[in-house]
Amino acid sequence: MGNVYPDRMSRRAVIVLFALGFAALAAAGARLFAGPAGFEPPRDSFEFGLRSWRIVSGAAVGAGLAVAGVALQALLRNPLAAPAVLGLTAGAGFGVTLATTLGVAGAATFAGLTGTSAAALLGSVGALVIVYTLAQRRGVVEPVTLILVGVIVSLIAGAGTVFLQHLMPDRGLAASTRWLFGSIRDDTPRGLIVIAVLLTTLGVIIAARLGRAMDAASLDDDEAVSVGVRLHGLRLALLALAGTLTAASVVIAGPIGFVGLICPHAVRLLAGPANRVVVIGSALLGAGTIVAADTLVRLIDLGGGRMPIGVLTALLGGPIFVALLRAKWVRL
């Protein structure tokens, strides 16, 4: 059997990638000049540094979530797969709520992590371990079982979060609810952002190199094996990749929905189905999307402080995905 997709990028794909890169740079420029009174240049080096770190943080979060979505859709052969399907976001939320209940959310921990960040990391990694362990049958990860276990873990973690909130005097709303909707924060440790950027960059490179294998894995199992794909190893690699990228994003910004779901579909629609192109394009689109969303929440003042980015991505992402379904650009 020949190649599933051609090795060389088509002219259309190259144009789309350049356009997405330009859009991401434009979003970064807009965020750099977005101030409390509208678009204005940074007043000093401190403000310049603060906005620059927010751009870097948002780009890492968006790229990580989008590429995690590509990996999961290839792993599960399911167009509805997204980082939340593994239960990582729900696990992180449970971890943060538990830390708030125990009164350690604001404590300093190892490697510059705050108690909240450490709890989010432990919660997401714990959920990944549980999902991976329960999704195996005879030592092989089965996509359908992985989805079912991920949904169950998400439901249990979500219920645990609500239960813990009800145990707290104020139900934990003031301390944890805002984090649960996802946002880019000014007080995120710089070292943590650097680690997230390194992990995301490495993850994008690995995912791009796995693009050909992901293309072949879209075939039936027997056909994929016949062209030399080691399905078990590939699925394990994609699961670990998606889990790492999602955990890094959640630790930085909390759970942000729809980026990992919509970005891969948008890039496939624009540039074609080859996964190497989809990985690179999704990283650019995801980075630009989160940075642009952070710009909007900075400029829009509703009188109650900055709107969480997760709220904005859900309000915009939901209708966009429904429109894609109605137009039959996303096939279930």
Side-chain angles (χ1 to χ4, degrees):
M1 180 179 294
N3 288 340
V4 181
Y5 299 107
D7 290 319
R8 296 181 61 184
M9 288 187 187
S10 66
R11 182 179 179 183
R12 170 189 172 191
V14 172
I15 293 174
V16 169
L17 292 182
F18 270 107
L20 291 175
F22 178 79
L25 289 175
R31 181 62 189 91
L32 187 62
F33 284 89
F39 284 107
E40 57 184 10
R43 290 170 292 186
D44 50 38
S45 59
F46 175 78
E47 192 169 85
F48 176 83
L50 195 63
R51 296 183 188 179
S52 297
W53 278 108
R54 288 184 70 95
I55 292 171
V56 173
S57 180
V61 169
L65 290 175
V67 174
V70 177
L72 288 173
Q73 288 168 16
L75 166 66
L76 303 175
R77 297 173 181 169
N78 190 326
L80 297 181
V85 78
L86 291 181
L88 269 72
T89 53
F94 176 78
V96 169
T97 306
L98 179 61
T100 304
T101 304
L102 298 176
V104 298
T109 60
F110 59 93
L113 291 174
T114 63
T116 300
S117 298
L121 179 61
L122 292 175
S124 59
V125 171
L128 178 62
V129 171
I130 293 172
V131 170
Y132 171 72
T133 302
L134 297 180
Q136 292 187 84
R137 287 189 176 182
R138 299 175 183 175
V140 177
V141 176
E142 295 188 351
V144 175
T145 306
L146 187 66
I147 294 176
L148 294 176
V149 173
V151 170
I152 292 172
V153 170
S154 295
L155 291 174
I156 293 175
T161 298
V162 175
F163 175 74
L164 290 176
Q165 287 178 333
H166 276 272
L167 291 181
M168 288 181 275
D170 60 351
R171 295 189 178 180
L173 298 180
S176 61
T177 299
R178 185 173 182 83
W179 186 93
L180 294 175
F181 283 104
S183 61
I184 304 297
R185 296 177 292 276
D186 293 331
D187 59 349
T188 303
R190 302 296 184 254
L192 188 60
I193 297 176
V194 171
I195 293 174
V197 170
L198 293 176
L199 287 175
T200 301
T201 302
L202 182 60
V204 172
I205 294 172
I206 293 174
R209 290 183 64 87
L210 291 174
R212 296 291 303 156
M214 286 191 280
D215 292 339
S218 64
L219 304 171
D220 292 336
D221 285 1
D222 292 339
E223 293 178 321
V225 172
S226 70
V227 295
V229 177
R230 297 180 179 179
L231 281 178
H232 177 60
L234 176 62
R235 287 171 178 170
L236 182 59
L238 292 177
L239 178 61
L241 181 66
T244 301
L245 291 175
T246 303
S249 299
V250 167
V251 168
I252 293 292
I256 296 178
F258 284 96
V259 175
L261 176 63
I262 292 179
C263 287
H265 288 299
V267 176
R268 288 191 192 98
L269 177 65
L270 294 172
N275 275 296
R276 182 173 297 174
V277 175
V278 174
V279 166
I280 299 171
S282 295
L284 294 172
L285 181 57
T289 297
I290 294 298
V291 174
D294 192 41
T295 303
L296 289 177
V297 300
R298 186 69 183 95
L299 296 175
I300 299 175
D301 185 6
L302 299 179
R306 293 183 184 178
M307 180 190 304
I309 290 178
V311 173
L312 186 61
T313 58
L315 289 175
L316 297 179
I320 290 174
F321 191 73
V322 170
L324 292 176
L325 286 174
R326 295 283 293 176
K328 297 183 179 180
W329 287 332
V330 174
R331 297 186 180 276
L332 302 179

